[in-house]
Amino acid sequence: MASAVRRIFSNIYAAITSSERNRAARRRSSGSNVYQEEFRCYSVCVARLAIMVMLAILIGLLTLLTWHFTKVYTRTSLNSLAYGLRYELLQRPILRMWKILNSTVEIATSQVKLSEYVIRKYSKAENQAQKVELYEVMRDITWALFSSRKALNSMSIKYRNGFVQAFHRDLRDKNTYYIYSNLNNYTMVEPYSMNRSSPHQEWNDQMIHGNVSAIWYREPLDPDTGRKTGKQKEIPPDELINIAGISQVPDGAASWHVAVSKFTNSPLLSAALPVWDKDRGSIVAVVGVTTALYSVGQLMKELVEIHGGNIYLTSQEGWLLATSSSTRLLRNSSSGFTLTMAKDSEDEIIQSAAKWLNKTYHDKGPMNHKVHSATAILGQQRYYIDSFFLNLTRLPMVGVLCIPRKNIMGKVDAREIKTLIILISASVCILVVGCICIFILTNGVSKEMNLRAQLISHLDARRKAEASSNFKTQFLANMSHELRTPMAAVIGLLDILLCDDSLTNEQNATISQIRRCSTALLRLLNNILDISKVESGKLVLEEAEYDLGRELEGLVDMFSVQCKNRNVEAIIDISDDMPKVVRGDSGRVIQIFANLISNSIKFTTSGYIILRGWCENLNSFSYNENFFVDHRALWAAYQKKIKRKGLDEKKASKNDNTMILFFEVEDTGCGIDPSKWESVFESFEQADPSTTRLHGGTGLGLCIVRTLVNKMGGEIRVVKKNGAGTLMQLYLLLSTPADIPRESYQLTYAEHNLKVVLALNGRMSRAILSRWLHKLGVPIWEANEWNELTLVLQELFKPTSYEQSLMYECSEVESLSKEGVEMSIFIIVVDIGMLNISTDIWKEQLNFLDAFNRRAKFAWILNHDTSNAIKIELQRRGHLLMVNGPLYKTKMIQIIEAVIKQSNLEQQEKNIMWTDAHERLQIDSRPSRTKSSNESEITETNSTGTSQNEETNQENFTVYGVVSNCFPKLTEVHSEWDRSASFPNDNSNCEQQIRQADQKVKNGQKALEGLHILLAEDNLILQRVATIMLEQMGAKVVVVGDGVQAVEALSIQIEVENFKTSCESPSYDLILMDCQMPKMDGYEATKAIRRAEMESESHIPIVALTAHAMLSDEAQCLEVGMDAYLTKPIDCKLMVSTILSLTKCRT
Amino acid sequence: MAAVPQLQRQFIEYTTSLYNEGYLDDQFTQLQKLQDESNPDFVAEVVSLFFEDSEKLLNNLATAIQQKSVDYKQVDSHVHQFKGSSSSIGAQRVTNVCVHFRNYCEEKNLDGCLRCLQQLKHEYILVRNKLEALFRLEQQILQAGGSIPMME
């Protein structure tokens, strides 16, 4: 135990010192991590040790207690048991002793009584005869008593006159003797008289012993009858027995003493009693009784035989009276037999016990109290020693009992040691096992702690990394936002400059270049903003219905210009089952495709770019092996969408029908290395970094695309393509409003007996179109170039060969075609590129075509750079059906419908030539407006003016396809300005453009005509400036100083409106709201206004004015219900465009 | 009295120098553009408004910042107003100082704030002098019967 404690202490000490050392080491080295590690280790060590120590203490205590209790209880019970036993053992010899004593006393007493009686009777004895008679009587009485007690050794009576009568049993030879003294020498009377005065003094032994003349006689007797059996013999006095004399009863009371006789080897107990003469009050005789103590020793022996050990009795002085051993009690000394002292006994045990008692109690103790000791060591063994004090009058005795301990406790002692050993070994085992367990446990715990600490530190690191990433994003967002504003201004100013007449060509070119660069820069900023928006999770997709097909066509139109310049075909191939109207964020969808297509264009130098699209209903969606859709991901996305929608508006989702729209963008560019297929979607990642120099770009486009696609519940990836180039596949989950039936293109063109000649340069687009038309049941002839076209035309319109060719080309419409050439409508779609424009040959080519003009209808596919001269020439020649390239299905349908309509008209007015001016049809050559592209695609030429007017009013629509602008995607922030600069100009020259722009600017000056605007602004200067700005634009402005007034002004308005529905009072069309104002700031005011509006269900556009210019402010503005956001200082144009977009939206 | 063309040239040079040295920016140009027949003294009116406002704000700022426990929120709102008004008339340098001032306010940096206040006062007085000089020049031109040349 002690060593264990020492070890623990040494361990703790080691831990402390090492931690000290570590502390010192830490001071030296900065790597506190190491220190912490070690410290943790040591603390674990210490904890472990502490637990172990506690366990050890606990187990030790348990062991000790168990040991103690078992030991103590057994011992005490055993002790008490042993004590009782010993007491019993001692008690019995003592009782025997008592008995002996009692009987002796009884005999003596009865002898005394009888003697008294007899002596009184004969007290008047006068003569010798009477005296003899007295002595005879006395002899008989004494004999009777003596014979009745066999245990008596002797019985004597000594008369006053010195006469002695005694009976004696010799225990050695079993004889009984009568001893008496010679009567002759005694006078009977004298002593009586003499003694009267001093009765005690004259009784002395001297008188008797000194009476030498006395003769003692001994006669053997028959022990049973008392008859004389032998002759009397003379013996010396006092030879055989002690005769109790007067000296032994000096005070007249009974006395005891231990005597030794010559005839027995055991001490004798003798008692002496005086016989009184009552009348005279003197002692007349002394009766003596002796008893051998032999029987006590016998009993002791018997007792000890069972239990072992020794018992002895001593007198108070230490003389041995009786022992359980068989050693002699008397010593034969020079003066005859004497008693031995206990400490001189021949028995070693008794001797040593007596010595031990003496030593322990210094000779005085044992007489006064009882001694019980369990620990006396006698010889080699441990003994129990008990002593008892027996207080007899004149003869106090001490009994001593010695029992070897092993006789009583031997088994117990042996068991005790075994138990102790077992207990200790068990507890040691438990301790060891416990320590091992603790070690393992604490090891596990410390390991876990370590892991946890590591985890925490990792988490910390991750959080930091995320925070820095967030910070970066935030920074980018803020920066780009801040940068975008000046960029917008730069572009706007450049546009103004471009409109200036006075510029030289060189300047004009330079400025155009600057503008292009600025637009590129702006686009980059937009990308960054998008990325950061997406990354910071602020991008919220709109949910609005829009025509996806039209948007995509507009997109292709827009890119076709770029493609044409690079000699790349831009083709759109959207399947007929595509839903016409889908619900989603059109801007973002278009952004996806714009990014993809522009990317493709960038890397494609020749060939084509195809945008394919088809769709599947999610419910009836069957797994398509060619596509990569992951079913589970799809369903997960679908569920999410449903859930989100469910949160937004529950009733809307009921009608919705979610579709999976699949798209492919394929190009024939340089392609992407398969190893980069995934990484191209990372931000700032490009397949080949070296291409940056060649193609430019930041590598943000695809990243944005992917995040957007994912946000719409879809996926995008690059897939393997046969041949050169890249094939991107993506799908989107978009819902379609169920109530709008999907328009089917199952047009029955076959009924109209159509026949189409496709003379297009683009191989792919022609193939796609012809396949589609073929499916619709329209016979087609294809031509790749001019010569082929002439051949086809000649064959077609040569009556003889026509039938053959028709049969050859499309046998399924044979029956129809048999009705004749006249019945069928020929449509000849000719690409303007077929004509050789560089030289004057095109006029001759037109002349050639004129020959067929009567029989067929020509539709011309124009290019963006087709000069006006050619157009005019075509019109002049009656080719009025002109569309802008590229040609795709929708345009084809328009062409066909126009032709059918015309032919119907033709049939109605058979005699009127369809070339009549009123019937002239031209397909609107402005591809600038996506919204109206379908409706206004085919319009009368003379309605362009009105359409222009319309456009000036509808300014908030995104514009695509700007001829002079290679970077057509501008955000709506400056689209208004952009539009004004890039107004319809497909073939008009610069001057036209400028004029239109000027006109536009003038219109813009009064752009806000008739608008009522409430301006809430506390800053007087801003108030003034904004008021003047707005008033110059023609708006009516009401100024209030704070939010409270703004709310009041509005509430009055609402009340007034409620009061009289005829709205004469100024109802505000818009509120310009400063964000920071006294009393009530802009946010609060907006909230209040919106709350108020909840009741009336109206919605006043609120534009925030703020000097913060941070994204978070914008977010906050929009959150509280503002519609737009302007930063101070107010940019006039920006403000106007914002206001217009909002007010138009409303109307 | 100098001849009108000379005055005009002087005016243009002066204005250009103001732009070049960054005292003014296009916001001021916009203000000038807003001035027309219906509002003949628009620029002067706005600028004098600005002067009044600025002086009030500067006083407020000075008292606010000399408090024992500076209420940075209040200071910030003052500076914010100042920034708004100065940016509205195109006093670019004042605006810039305001931006710095607000940063210090956010950091609760009293030294920085005091420095900025000094700078603000300085810039304000500077721009005031410049603008007053400009207006004087304008008056001279008008008195000489010339027209104010427009800056592009």
Side-chain angles (χ1 to χ4, degrees), chain A residues 751-769:
Chain A
E751 287 174 12
H752 294 284
N753 224 347
L754 285 174
K755 291 177 181 56
V756 178
V757 177
L758 287 176
L760 296 173
N761 276 333
R763 198 171 50 79
M764 277 308 284
S765 58
R766 199 179 60 219
I768 286 166
L769 269 180

mmCIF file with all atom_site columns, all heavy atoms in Angstrom, chain A residues 751-769:
data_model
loop_
_atom_site.group_PDB
_atom_site.id
_atom_site.type_symbol
_atom_site.label_atom_id
_atom_site.label_alt_id
_atom_site.label_comp_id
_atom_site.label_asym_id
_atom_site.label_entity_id
_atom_site.label_seq_id
_atom_site.pdbx_PDB_ins_code
_atom_site.Cartn_x
_atom_site.Cartn_y
_atom_site.Cartn_z
_atom_site.occupancy
_atom_site.B_iso_or_equiv
_atom_site.pdbx_formal_charge
_atom_site.auth_seq_id
_atom_site.auth_comp_id
_atom_site.auth_asym_id
_atom_site.auth_atom_id
_atom_site.pdbx_PDB_model_num
ATOM 1   N N   . GLU A 1 751 ? -52.891 20.071 -96.449  1.00 0.00 ? 751 GLU A N   1
ATOM 2   C CA  . GLU A 1 751 ? -54.154 20.390 -97.120  1.00 0.00 ? 751 GLU A CA  1
ATOM 3   C C   . GLU A 1 751 ? -53.995 21.513 -98.124  1.00 0.00 ? 751 GLU A C   1
ATOM 4   O O   . GLU A 1 751 ? -54.698 21.593 -99.116  1.00 0.00 ? 751 GLU A O   1
ATOM 5   C CB  . GLU A 1 751 ? -55.182 20.826 -96.063  1.00 0.00 ? 751 GLU A CB  1
ATOM 6   C CG  . GLU A 1 751 ? -55.676 19.679 -95.230  1.00 0.00 ? 751 GLU A CG  1
ATOM 7   C CD  . GLU A 1 751 ? -56.560 20.184 -94.114  1.00 0.00 ? 751 GLU A CD  1
ATOM 8   O OE1 . GLU A 1 751 ? -56.955 21.367 -94.145  1.00 0.00 ? 751 GLU A OE1 1
ATOM 9   O OE2 . GLU A 1 751 ? -56.842 19.381 -93.195  1.00 0.00 ? 751 GLU A OE2 1
ATOM 10  N N   . HIS A 1 752 ? -53.055 22.388 -97.781  1.00 0.00 ? 752 HIS A N   1
ATOM 11  C CA  . HIS A 1 752 ? -52.891 23.547 -98.661  1.00 0.00 ? 752 HIS A CA  1
ATOM 12  C C   . HIS A 1 752 ? -52.024 23.249 -99.863  1.00 0.00 ? 752 HIS A C   1
ATOM 13  O O   . HIS A 1 752 ? -51.700 24.139 -100.620 1.00 0.00 ? 752 HIS A O   1
ATOM 14  C CB  . HIS A 1 752 ? -52.277 24.702 -97.867  1.00 0.00 ? 752 HIS A CB  1
ATOM 15  C CG  . HIS A 1 752 ? -53.194 25.194 -96.806  1.00 0.00 ? 752 HIS A CG  1
ATOM 16  N ND1 . HIS A 1 752 ? -54.283 25.981 -97.083  1.00 0.00 ? 752 HIS A ND1 1
ATOM 17  C CD2 . HIS A 1 752 ? -53.216 24.994 -95.474  1.00 0.00 ? 752 HIS A CD2 1
ATOM 18  C CE1 . HIS A 1 752 ? -54.925 26.247 -95.972  1.00 0.00 ? 752 HIS A CE1 1
ATOM 19  N NE2 . HIS A 1 752 ? -54.291 25.640 -94.961  1.00 0.00 ? 752 HIS A NE2 1
ATOM 20  N N   . ASN A 1 753 ? -51.644 21.996 -99.916  1.00 0.00 ? 753 ASN A N   1
ATOM 21  C CA  . ASN A 1 753 ? -50.888 21.628 -101.105 1.00 0.00 ? 753 ASN A CA  1
ATOM 22  C C   . ASN A 1 753 ? -49.597 22.429 -101.233 1.00 0.00 ? 753 ASN A C   1
ATOM 23  O O   . ASN A 1 753 ? -49.292 22.969 -102.284 1.00 0.00 ? 753 ASN A O   1
ATOM 24  C CB  . ASN A 1 753 ? -51.755 21.843 -102.339 1.00 0.00 ? 753 ASN A CB  1
ATOM 25  C CG  . ASN A 1 753 ? -51.605 20.666 -103.264 1.00 0.00 ? 753 ASN A CG  1
ATOM 26  O OD1 . ASN A 1 753 ? -50.683 19.856 -103.073 1.00 0.00 ? 753 ASN A OD1 1
ATOM 27  N ND2 . ASN A 1 753 ? -52.480 20.584 -104.231 1.00 0.00 ? 753 ASN A ND2 1
ATOM 28  N N   . LEU A 1 754 ? -48.901 22.503 -100.148 1.00 0.00 ? 754 LEU A N   1
ATOM 29  C CA  . LEU A 1 754 ? -47.699 23.325 -100.128 1.00 0.00 ? 754 LEU A CA  1
ATOM 30  C C   . LEU A 1 754 ? -46.544 22.553 -100.713 1.00 0.00 ? 754 LEU A C   1
ATOM 31  O O   . LEU A 1 754 ? -46.442 21.329 -100.562 1.00 0.00 ? 754 LEU A O   1
ATOM 32  C CB  . LEU A 1 754 ? -47.358 23.716 -98.692  1.00 0.00 ? 754 LEU A CB  1
ATOM 33  C CG  . LEU A 1 754 ? -48.217 24.798 -98.068  1.00 0.00 ? 754 LEU A CG  1
ATOM 34  C CD1 . LEU A 1 754 ? -47.843 24.952 -96.607  1.00 0.00 ? 754 LEU A CD1 1
ATOM 35  C CD2 . LEU A 1 754 ? -47.982 26.113 -98.804  1.00 0.00 ? 754 LEU A CD2 1
ATOM 36  N N   . LYS A 1 755 ? -45.686 23.307 -101.299 1.00 0.00 ? 755 LYS A N   1
ATOM 37  C CA  . LYS A 1 755 ? -44.429 22.704 -101.744 1.00 0.00 ? 755 LYS A CA  1
ATOM 38  C C   . LYS A 1 755 ? -43.342 23.724 -101.464 1.00 0.00 ? 755 LYS A C   1
ATOM 39  O O   . LYS A 1 755 ? -43.499 24.890 -101.789 1.00 0.00 ? 755 LYS A O   1
ATOM 40  C CB  . LYS A 1 755 ? -44.486 22.366 -103.224 1.00 0.00 ? 755 LYS A CB  1
ATOM 41  C CG  . LYS A 1 755 ? -45.441 21.230 -103.429 1.00 0.00 ? 755 LYS A CG  1
ATOM 42  C CD  . LYS A 1 755 ? -45.639 20.856 -104.844 1.00 0.00 ? 755 LYS A CD  1
ATOM 43  C CE  . LYS A 1 755 ? -46.640 19.701 -104.933 1.00 0.00 ? 755 LYS A CE  1
ATOM 44  N NZ  . LYS A 1 755 ? -47.944 20.007 -104.291 1.00 0.00 ? 755 LYS A NZ  1
ATOM 45  N N   . VAL A 1 756 ? -42.310 23.283 -100.872 1.00 0.00 ? 756 VAL A N   1
ATOM 46  C CA  . VAL A 1 756 ? -41.312 24.231 -100.380 1.00 0.00 ? 756 VAL A CA  1
ATOM 47  C C   . VAL A 1 756 ? -39.963 23.915 -100.980 1.00 0.00 ? 756 VAL A C   1
ATOM 48  O O   . VAL A 1 756 ? -39.550 22.755 -101.039 1.00 0.00 ? 756 VAL A O   1
ATOM 49  C CB  . VAL A 1 756 ? -41.223 24.174 -98.836  1.00 0.00 ? 756 VAL A CB  1
ATOM 50  C CG1 . VAL A 1 756 ? -40.154 25.128 -98.333  1.00 0.00 ? 756 VAL A CG1 1
ATOM 51  C CG2 . VAL A 1 756 ? -42.566 24.497 -98.245  1.00 0.00 ? 756 VAL A CG2 1
ATOM 52  N N   . VAL A 1 757 ? -39.335 24.971 -101.413 1.00 0.00 ? 757 VAL A N   1
ATOM 53  C CA  . VAL A 1 757 ? -37.941 24.840 -101.845 1.00 0.00 ? 757 VAL A CA  1
ATOM 54  C C   . VAL A 1 757 ? -37.098 25.606 -100.838 1.00 0.00 ? 757 VAL A C   1
ATOM 55  O O   . VAL A 1 757 ? -37.348 26.775 -100.574 1.00 0.00 ? 757 VAL A O   1
ATOM 56  C CB  . VAL A 1 757 ? -37.734 25.429 -103.249 1.00 0.00 ? 757 VAL A CB  1
ATOM 57  C CG1 . VAL A 1 757 ? -36.261 25.334 -103.622 1.00 0.00 ? 757 VAL A CG1 1
ATOM 58  C CG2 . VAL A 1 757 ? -38.602 24.720 -104.242 1.00 0.00 ? 757 VAL A CG2 1
ATOM 59  N N   . LEU A 1 758 ? -36.176 24.900 -100.262 1.00 0.00 ? 758 LEU A N   1
ATOM 60  C CA  . LEU A 1 758 ? -35.314 25.559 -99.285  1.00 0.00 ? 758 LEU A CA  1
ATOM 61  C C   . LEU A 1 758 ? -33.965 25.789 -99.924  1.00 0.00 ? 758 LEU A C   1
ATOM 62  O O   . LEU A 1 758 ? -33.249 24.836 -100.238 1.00 0.00 ? 758 LEU A O   1
ATOM 63  C CB  . LEU A 1 758 ? -35.132 24.680 -98.045  1.00 0.00 ? 758 LEU A CB  1
ATOM 64  C CG  . LEU A 1 758 ? -36.323 24.557 -97.106  1.00 0.00 ? 758 LEU A CG  1
ATOM 65  C CD1 . LEU A 1 758 ? -35.999 23.589 -95.989  1.00 0.00 ? 758 LEU A CD1 1
ATOM 66  C CD2 . LEU A 1 758 ? -36.680 25.916 -96.523  1.00 0.00 ? 758 LEU A CD2 1
ATOM 67  N N   . ALA A 1 759 ? -33.670 27.038 -100.145 1.00 0.00 ? 759 ALA A N   1
ATOM 68  C CA  . ALA A 1 759 ? -32.346 27.359 -100.687 1.00 0.00 ? 759 ALA A CA  1
ATOM 69  C C   . ALA A 1 759 ? -31.598 28.127 -99.612  1.00 0.00 ? 759 ALA A C   1
ATOM 70  O O   . ALA A 1 759 ? -31.702 29.341 -99.498  1.00 0.00 ? 759 ALA A O   1
ATOM 71  C CB  . ALA A 1 759 ? -32.489 28.207 -101.938 1.00 0.00 ? 759 ALA A CB  1
ATOM 72  N N   . LEU A 1 760 ? -30.931 27.351 -98.786  1.00 0.00 ? 760 LEU A N   1
ATOM 73  C CA  . LEU A 1 760 ? -30.259 27.980 -97.651  1.00 0.00 ? 760 LEU A CA  1
ATOM 74  C C   . LEU A 1 760 ? -28.800 27.585 -97.648  1.00 0.00 ? 760 LEU A C   1
ATOM 75  O O   . LEU A 1 760 ? -28.432 26.479 -98.039  1.00 0.00 ? 760 LEU A O   1
ATOM 76  C CB  . LEU A 1 760 ? -30.891 27.507 -96.336  1.00 0.00 ? 760 LEU A CB  1
ATOM 77  C CG  . LEU A 1 760 ? -32.353 27.888 -96.116  1.00 0.00 ? 760 LEU A CG  1
ATOM 78  C CD1 . LEU A 1 760 ? -32.880 27.209 -94.877  1.00 0.00 ? 760 LEU A CD1 1
ATOM 79  C CD2 . LEU A 1 760 ? -32.494 29.394 -96.001  1.00 0.00 ? 760 LEU A CD2 1
ATOM 80  N N   . ASN A 1 761 ? -28.021 28.494 -97.178  1.00 0.00 ? 761 ASN A N   1
ATOM 81  C CA  . ASN A 1 761 ? -26.591 28.207 -97.101  1.00 0.00 ? 761 ASN A CA  1
ATOM 82  C C   . ASN A 1 761 ? -26.278 27.216 -95.987  1.00 0.00 ? 761 ASN A C   1
ATOM 83  O O   . ASN A 1 761 ? -25.462 26.335 -96.118  1.00 0.00 ? 761 ASN A O   1
ATOM 84  C CB  . ASN A 1 761 ? -25.819 29.501 -96.847  1.00 0.00 ? 761 ASN A CB  1
ATOM 85  C CG  . ASN A 1 761 ? -25.571 30.214 -98.139  1.00 0.00 ? 761 ASN A CG  1
ATOM 86  O OD1 . ASN A 1 761 ? -25.498 29.585 -99.182  1.00 0.00 ? 761 ASN A OD1 1
ATOM 87  N ND2 . ASN A 1 761 ? -25.454 31.530 -98.084  1.00 0.00 ? 761 ASN A ND2 1
ATOM 88  N N   . GLY A 1 762 ? -26.922 27.427 -94.870  1.00 0.00 ? 762 GLY A N   1
ATOM 89  C CA  . GLY A 1 762 ? -26.585 26.615 -93.687  1.00 0.00 ? 762 GLY A CA  1
ATOM 90  C C   . GLY A 1 762 ? -27.065 25.186 -93.854  1.00 0.00 ? 762 GLY A C   1
ATOM 91  O O   . GLY A 1 762 ? -28.242 24.944 -94.047  1.00 0.00 ? 762 GLY A O   1
ATOM 92  N N   . ARG A 1 763 ? -26.144 24.305 -93.763  1.00 0.00 ? 763 ARG A N   1
ATOM 93  C CA  . ARG A 1 763 ? -26.474 22.907 -94.023  1.00 0.00 ? 763 ARG A CA  1
ATOM 94  C C   . ARG A 1 763 ? -27.351 22.347 -92.904  1.00 0.00 ? 763 ARG A C   1
ATOM 95  O O   . ARG A 1 763 ? -28.363 21.711 -93.145  1.00 0.00 ? 763 ARG A O   1
ATOM 96  C CB  . ARG A 1 763 ? -25.180 22.103 -94.109  1.00 0.00 ? 763 ARG A CB  1
ATOM 97  C CG  . ARG A 1 763 ? -25.325 20.770 -94.771  1.00 0.00 ? 763 ARG A CG  1
ATOM 98  C CD  . ARG A 1 763 ? -23.957 20.171 -94.999  1.00 0.00 ? 763 ARG A CD  1
ATOM 99  N NE  . ARG A 1 763 ? -23.169 20.215 -93.775  1.00 0.00 ? 763 ARG A NE  1
ATOM 100 C CZ  . ARG A 1 763 ? -23.327 19.343 -92.765  1.00 0.00 ? 763 ARG A CZ  1
ATOM 101 N NH1 . ARG A 1 763 ? -24.206 18.389 -92.858  1.00 0.00 ? 763 ARG A NH1 1
ATOM 102 N NH2 . ARG A 1 763 ? -22.586 19.434 -91.688  1.00 0.00 ? 763 ARG A NH2 1
ATOM 103 N N   . MET A 1 764 ? -26.945 22.623 -91.683  1.00 0.00 ? 764 MET A N   1
ATOM 104 C CA  . MET A 1 764 ? -27.636 22.044 -90.546  1.00 0.00 ? 764 MET A CA  1
ATOM 105 C C   . MET A 1 764 ? -29.055 22.572 -90.419  1.00 0.00 ? 764 MET A C   1
ATOM 106 O O   . MET A 1 764 ? -30.001 21.815 -90.237  1.00 0.00 ? 764 MET A O   1
ATOM 107 C CB  . MET A 1 764 ? -26.866 22.352 -89.257  1.00 0.00 ? 764 MET A CB  1
ATOM 108 C CG  . MET A 1 764 ? -25.733 21.429 -88.951  1.00 0.00 ? 764 MET A CG  1
ATOM 109 S SD  . MET A 1 764 ? -26.188 19.704 -88.986  1.00 0.00 ? 764 MET A SD  1
ATOM 110 C CE  . MET A 1 764 ? -27.049 19.560 -87.434  1.00 0.00 ? 764 MET A CE  1
ATOM 111 N N   . SER A 1 765 ? -29.170 23.877 -90.531  1.00 0.00 ? 765 SER A N   1
ATOM 112 C CA  . SER A 1 765 ? -30.497 24.459 -90.335  1.00 0.00 ? 765 SER A CA  1
ATOM 113 C C   . SER A 1 765 ? -31.427 23.968 -91.437  1.00 0.00 ? 765 SER A C   1
ATOM 114 O O   . SER A 1 765 ? -32.602 23.682 -91.175  1.00 0.00 ? 765 SER A O   1
ATOM 115 C CB  . SER A 1 765 ? -30.410 25.982 -90.327  1.00 0.00 ? 765 SER A CB  1
ATOM 116 O OG  . SER A 1 765 ? -29.843 26.428 -91.525  1.00 0.00 ? 765 SER A OG  1
ATOM 117 N N   . ARG A 1 766 ? -30.889 23.829 -92.597  1.00 0.00 ? 766 ARG A N   1
ATOM 118 C CA  . ARG A 1 766 ? -31.718 23.371 -93.699  1.00 0.00 ? 766 ARG A CA  1
ATOM 119 C C   . ARG A 1 766 ? -32.168 21.933 -93.426  1.00 0.00 ? 766 ARG A C   1
ATOM 120 O O   . ARG A 1 766 ? -33.329 21.588 -93.609  1.00 0.00 ? 766 ARG A O   1
ATOM 121 C CB  . ARG A 1 766 ? -30.894 23.435 -95.002  1.00 0.00 ? 766 ARG A CB  1
ATOM 122 C CG  . ARG A 1 766 ? -31.740 23.430 -96.239  1.00 0.00 ? 766 ARG A CG  1
ATOM 123 C CD  . ARG A 1 766 ? -30.846 23.526 -97.444  1.00 0.00 ? 766 ARG A CD  1
ATOM 124 N NE  . ARG A 1 766 ? -29.920 22.402 -97.501  1.00 0.00 ? 766 ARG A NE  1
ATOM 125 C CZ  . ARG A 1 766 ? -28.665 22.496 -97.886  1.00 0.00 ? 766 ARG A CZ  1
ATOM 126 N NH1 . ARG A 1 766 ? -28.144 23.665 -98.236  1.00 0.00 ? 766 ARG A NH1 1
ATOM 127 N NH2 . ARG A 1 766 ? -27.892 21.433 -97.921  1.00 0.00 ? 766 ARG A NH2 1
ATOM 128 N N   . ALA A 1 767 ? -31.230 21.155 -92.976  1.00 0.00 ? 767 ALA A N   1
ATOM 129 C CA  . ALA A 1 767 ? -31.563 19.762 -92.697  1.00 0.00 ? 767 ALA A CA  1
ATOM 130 C C   . ALA A 1 767 ? -32.654 19.664 -91.639  1.00 0.00 ? 767 ALA A C   1
ATOM 131 O O   . ALA A 1 767 ? -33.613 18.911 -91.790  1.00 0.00 ? 767 ALA A O   1
ATOM 132 C CB  . ALA A 1 767 ? -30.315 19.021 -92.224  1.00 0.00 ? 767 ALA A CB  1
ATOM 133 N N   . ILE A 1 768 ? -32.489 20.477 -90.612  1.00 0.00 ? 768 ILE A N   1
ATOM 134 C CA  . ILE A 1 768 ? -33.475 20.416 -89.519  1.00 0.00 ? 768 ILE A CA  1
ATOM 135 C C   . ILE A 1 768 ? -34.841 20.857 -90.001  1.00 0.00 ? 768 ILE A C   1
ATOM 136 O O   . ILE A 1 768 ? -35.856 20.204 -89.747  1.00 0.00 ? 768 ILE A O   1
ATOM 137 C CB  . ILE A 1 768 ? -32.991 21.295 -88.351  1.00 0.00 ? 768 ILE A CB  1
ATOM 138 C CG1 . ILE A 1 768 ? -31.832 20.588 -87.638  1.00 0.00 ? 768 ILE A CG1 1
ATOM 139 C CG2 . ILE A 1 768 ? -34.106 21.567 -87.369  1.00 0.00 ? 768 ILE A CG2 1
ATOM 140 C CD1 . ILE A 1 768 ? -31.068 21.464 -86.712  1.00 0.00 ? 768 ILE A CD1 1
ATOM 141 N N   . LEU A 1 769 ? -34.838 21.952 -90.754  1.00 0.00 ? 769 LEU A N   1
ATOM 142 C CA  . LEU A 1 769 ? -36.113 22.465 -91.243  1.00 0.00 ? 769 LEU A CA  1
ATOM 143 C C   . LEU A 1 769 ? -36.771 21.466 -92.176  1.00 0.00 ? 769 LEU A C   1
ATOM 144 O O   . LEU A 1 769 ? -37.976 21.237 -92.105  1.00 0.00 ? 769 LEU A O   1
ATOM 145 C CB  . LEU A 1 769 ? -35.891 23.782 -91.970  1.00 0.00 ? 769 LEU A CB  1
ATOM 146 C CG  . LEU A 1 769 ? -35.985 25.028 -91.115  1.00 0.00 ? 769 LEU A CG  1
ATOM 147 C CD1 . LEU A 1 769 ? -35.753 26.243 -91.975  1.00 0.00 ? 769 LEU A CD1 1
ATOM 148 C CD2 . LEU A 1 769 ? -37.351 25.097 -90.458  1.00 0.00 ? 769 LEU A CD2 1
#
